[in-house]
Amino acid sequence: EVQLQASGGGLVQAGGSLRLSCAASGFSFGDYAIAWFRQAPGKEREGVACISRSGSIISYADSVKGRFTISRDNDKNTVYLQMTSLKLEDTAVYYCAADLRGWRTSRAPNDYDYWGQGTLVTVSS
């Protein structure tokens, strides 16, 4: 059974930091590109960051560049999203997703084959 388990969300003050984790199982993790998406109430799902299967190619949304860092550990089948300098507008449910075309980094939701259940990040003032 394919699983992507996102964790690490919570309540944090603006300016603070959180680290999200996405633990994968049930598929060949090292073959897949992995991305983090987020969706705020009333808004479309947004691709935040993605990393190719080897970790050599990384892409970020402009809204998080310089503040968020995506990384992966293929030995642990886990991808991380380190979030710093959090802003109120970062509040959303964060999802991780896997793309079989692991050589690329797409931030388009339709390009992804597997999805996790999401973890809520709330940034307060």
Side-chain angles (χ1 to χ4, degrees), residues 38-44 89 91-93:
R38 66 186 181 186
Q39 189 163 20
K43 294 191 175 181
E44 292 188 353
E89 53 264 41
T91 295
V93 177

Side-chain angles (χ1 to χ4, degrees), residues 15-85:
S17 299
L18 277 177
R19 189 176 82 153
L20 306 183
S21 298
C22 174
S25 62
F27 64 100
S28 297
F29 179 80
D31 291 337
Y32 284 70
I34 305 293
W36 286 97
F37 290 82
R38 66 186 181 186
Q39 189 163 20
K43 294 191 175 181
E44 292 188 353
R45 191 165 293 192
E46 174 190 20
V48 172
C50 49
I51 186 167
S52 64
R53 59 191 176 192
S54 67
S56 61
I57 304 173
I58 289 174
S59 173
Y60 295 100
D62 288 344
S63 57
V64 306
K65 274 182 186 175
R67 300 188 298 120
F68 289 11
T69 302
I70 189 171
S71 61
R72 68 188 294 160
D73 185 337
N74 285 349
D75 290 334
K76 294 182 179 179
N77 285 6
T78 302
V79 170
Y80 305 97
L81 186 69
Q82 178 68 49
M83 306 186 294
T84 63
S85 301

